[in-house]
């Protein structure tokens, strides 16, 4: 059987209040009928996770980052172990917005390994800032994968999810432009090759998602011709109507 597609909503630092978050989550659940071919994950800000996680089962709770270790003297941080206790089963790591704030590849690597030990599935974001004529962006993505996944035990590598997010296509990037399904597809093929060089056959089970301004109009295109196993959706995940349409598209495909 085909592995389930994965559609992940990244709410980023939205919305402002718990009340609004609750409304958004409820509207989302109402719009989504039960899914057979799709796993739906929503990653709200940490402060809303507990309450939202208790509101319904159709959607899996995720998070947008987590610190390594379980507990300890790390002021301001939240560990993957704590999020797991709260019901989260996926965490986004290495998002370009966090890398831009100075998060290093080494830290991302430690966070991923730590999440895996507590049973949280890491969604590792990789992607280049810009595209150059010499195709240097392939090397950028390769270096991110190698550094961020270094030393990940082979027996859990299939739990890792990769999200290819070209920064130039993300909705918040000034002067952004659309990536095409072909752009995604060629990178997916390349990522598969890098992963298989790094982890051998075990890497073939890794799901690869595309993210970067995905909406209800181009989701089908990315899912069919982009060669991806799912999508990481930012802005459109804040609209229950658009997000549920994207899920319906995934359900209708083979
Ligand atoms: P976007 O965000 O869909 O708003 O471009 C995707 C992301 O940054 O994860």
């Amino acid at each position: 059987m085909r592995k389930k597609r994965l559609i992940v909503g990244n709410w980023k630092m939205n919305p402002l209040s718990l009340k609004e978050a609750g409304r958004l989550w409820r509207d989302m659940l109402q719009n989504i009928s039960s899914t057979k071919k799709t796993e739906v994950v929503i990653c709200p800000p940490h402060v809303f996770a507990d309450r939202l996680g208790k509101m319904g089962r159709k959607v899996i709770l995720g998070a947008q980052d987590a610190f390594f270790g379980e507990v300890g003297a790390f002021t301001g941080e939240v560990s993957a172990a704590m999020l797991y206790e709260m019901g989260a089963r996926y965490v986004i790591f290495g998002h370009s917005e966090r890398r831009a704030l100075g998060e290093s590849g080494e830290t991302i690597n430690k966070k991923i390994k730590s999440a895996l030990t507590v049973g949280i599935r890491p969604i590792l974001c990789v992607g280049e800032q810009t595209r150059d004529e010499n195709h240097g962006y392939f090397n950028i993505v390769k270096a991110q994968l190698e550094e961020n996944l270094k030393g990940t035990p082979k027996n859990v590598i299939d739990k890792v999810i990769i999200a290819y997010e070209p920064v130039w296509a993300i909705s918040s990037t000034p002067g952004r432009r659309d990536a095409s399904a072909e752009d995604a597809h060629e990178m997916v093929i390349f990522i598969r090759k890098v992963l298989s060089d790094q982890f051998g056959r075990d890497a073939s089970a890794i799901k690869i998602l595309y993210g970067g301004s995905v909406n209800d109009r181009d989701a089908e295109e990315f899912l069919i011709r982009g060669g991806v196993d799912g999508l990481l959706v930012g802005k459109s995940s804040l609209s229950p109507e658009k997000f549920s349409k994207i899920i319906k598209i995934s359900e209708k495909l083979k």
Side-chain angles (χ1 to χ4, degrees):
M1 208 186 94
R2 193 189 194 287
K3 49 188 176 186
K4 275 194 173 183
R5 255 179 231 106
L6 185 63
I7 307 286
V8 183
N10 174 13
W11 282 7
K12 307 194 179 182
M13 199 170 71
N14 298 288
L16 185 61
S17 68
L18 178 59
K19 200 169 165 203
E20 283 174 86
R23 197 181 315 129
L24 196 53
W25 190 276
R26 209 175 30 249
D27 289 353
M28 210 70 87
L29 294 184
Q30 265 165 16
N31 272 275
I32 301 169
S33 41
S34 66
T35 53
K36 290 199 180 70
K37 300 176 190 164
T38 317
E39 205 162 18
V40 184
V41 179
I42 294 181
C43 305
H46 290 343
V47 282
F48 306 140
D50 187 37
R51 184 77 76 84
L52 301 183
K54 290 181 178 135
M55 281 175 62
R57 296 219 190 129
K58 269 190 253 169
V59 169
I60 301 169
L61 182 67
Q64 300 170 23
D65 184 41
F67 204 65
F68 45 80
E70 294 199 355
V71 290
F74 298 103
T75 303
E77 298 294 353
V78 172
S79 71
M82 290 171 177
L83 291 164
Y84 185 89
E85 287 292 317
M86 210 167 265
R89 294 295 177 264
Y90 288 85
V91 176
I92 297 170
F93 289 108
H95 191 283
S96 56
E97 287 153 13
R98 295 201 56 81
R99 291 181 195 263
L101 290 171
E103 179 148 288
S104 73
E106 200 187 323
T107 302
I108 296 167
N109 178 258
K110 277 170 98 171
K111 288 180 171 181
I112 288 175
K113 286 182 189 152
S114 186
L116 285 166
T117 63
V118 297
I120 287 209
R121 299 190 66 173
I123 302 170
L124 169 63
C125 299
V126 294
E128 73 283 3
Q129 297 282 335
T130 51
R131 287 217 159 180
D132 58 307
E133 281 168 18
N134 301 326
H135 300 97
Y137 49 90
F138 285 113
N139 283 334
I140 290 166
V141 170
K142 181 170 187 258
Q144 288 173 339
L145 289 167
E146 287 176 351
E147 187 182 24
N148 300 163
L149 294 176
K150 194 173 163 196
T152 306
K154 276 191 182 182
N155 64 337
V156 286
I157 197 66
D158 62 330
K159 302 283 181 282
V160 174
I161 289 127
I162 306 295
Y164 171 54
E165 295 209 312
V167 182
W168 48 270
I170 291 180
S171 65
S172 56
T173 302
R176 67 160 298 281
R177 59 188 181 83
D178 282 336
S180 67
E182 287 70 33
D183 293 329
H185 196 195
E186 65 166 7
M187 190 56 89
V188 168
I189 294 168
F190 178 73
I191 290 173
R192 287 232 172 272
K193 162 90 174 65
V194 174
L195 293 172
S196 108
D197 288 349
Q198 214 176 342
F199 297 100
R201 277 221 314 258
D202 298 307
S204 62
I206 297 180
K207 284 184 185 171
I208 304 181
L209 317 182
Y210 170 76
S213 303
V214 173
N215 56 55
D216 49 323
R217 282 168 283 112
D218 59 15
E220 181 161 354
E221 182 81 356
F222 280 110
L223 288 174
I224 295 178
R225 294 202 298 122
V228 291
D229 304 300
L231 303 165
L232 177 52
V233 186
K235 203 170 177 189
S236 297
S237 74
L238 292 167
S239 154
E241 201 194 346
K242 286 186 188 160
F243 194 62
S244 60
K245 268 193 195 159
I246 294 173
I247 293 156
K248 280 188 195 120
I249 289 166
S250 162
E251 284 293 292
K252 146 189 124 189
L253 295 177
K254 253 204 283 176

